[in-house]
Amino acid sequence: MTTRLRVIWVVGLALVAFVLAAAVPNVLAQSKELVIADFDTGDKPNNIGGDFGGWDKDPNDDTQSCQESFESDDALGDPAGYSIRLDYDVDSPNPAYNGFWMKLNGEDATAYNTLNFYMKGDAKAGYTKRVKIELKDMTNKPSPYIVTGVTDQWQKFSIPFEKFRRITDWKSMNEFVVVFDDINSNPKSGTIYLDQVTFSKD
Ligand SMILES: [Ca+2]
Ligand SMILES: [Ca+2]
């Protein structure tokens, strides 16, 4: 090997080592993710011990409702997994809103910066392409965000924490909420699926 070739070889090796050294911690950092709910047991509670369920502005008004159930259609394709199915109806002569609540059990989210979840609509039942979600810390002020572009295929939605402007204390999180209302939901009744709710750090 000539001296010149040897130099090229050594420089090449150094470059490879440099790229690897830069990439590996990056990959490790990207894998930092807390699974809040994968629903894969087909039962309550969620992965961090939190309860969840459907809710309704007025349970006595039978023209509006949101029923939650487990569906064996997993967002990540696990044949043994489940997602949550939300059959909503905000088609009512009265002001109508309802949805799905899920406790975050005081989870400390300060190590993360992104809320992730998978969502899709049911082509047969119909579904709204716009869905409001909310995060709440222990002050319980809802911090809303409108998800747009829901389709009948599973899609991952990742929302940076800074979009939730009314969260003041990420150290102690209370609740994740899905809201169907008679303004954002079109059609006013349909079916939405939800799965794999996580906090991650990018
Ligand atoms: Ca799942
Ligand atoms: Ca109705």
Side-chain angles (χ1 to χ4, degrees), residues 94-125:
N94 311 312
Y97 48 94
N98 52 48
F100 174 79
W101 57 272
M102 182 164 72
K103 287 295 172 187
L104 301 175
N105 270 7
E107 190 68 39
D108 182 351
T110 51
Y112 308 97
N113 62 14
T114 308
L115 169 72
N116 310 281
F117 53 87
Y118 286 73
M119 193 172 266
K120 71 170 182 175
D122 189 299
K124 277 194 200 128

Side-chain angles (χ1 to χ4, degrees), residues 140-197:
N140 235 12
K141 272 182 296 202
S143 196
Y145 182 84
I146 305 279
V147 177
T148 59
V150 176
T151 71
D152 64 358
Q153 301 296 312
W154 281 121
Q155 199 178 156
K156 183 178 184 180
F157 294 93
S158 295
I159 303 156
F161 278 0
E162 62 257 29
K163 299 286 184 189
F164 299 100
R165 289 162 201 270
R166 298 179 74 194
I167 299 290
T168 52
D169 185 12
W170 291 96
K171 263 204 171 80
S172 191
M173 298 301 294
N174 182 28
E175 205 171 32
F176 168 86
V177 184
V178 177
V179 183
F180 302 107
D181 60 47
D182 46 14
I183 298 163
N184 287 299
S185 298
N186 178 26
K188 288 185 176 181
S189 70
T191 300
I192 286 284
Y193 300 93
L194 170 74
D195 203 359
Q196 199 67 15
V197 182

Side-chain angles (χ1 to χ4, degrees), residues 1-13:
M1 209 182 262
T2 65
T3 306
R4 192 169 179 189
L5 263 180
R6 193 171 292 139
V7 167
I8 290 170
W9 181 237
V10 168
V11 168
L13 271 184

Side-chain angles (χ1 to χ4, degrees), residues 35-41 46-47 74 76 81-83 195-197:
V35 177
I36 296 164
D38 60 20
F39 306 110
D40 286 348
T41 62
N46 63 19
N47 300 56
D74 181 67
L76 303 183
Y82 292 91
S83 59
D195 203 359
Q196 199 67 15
V197 182

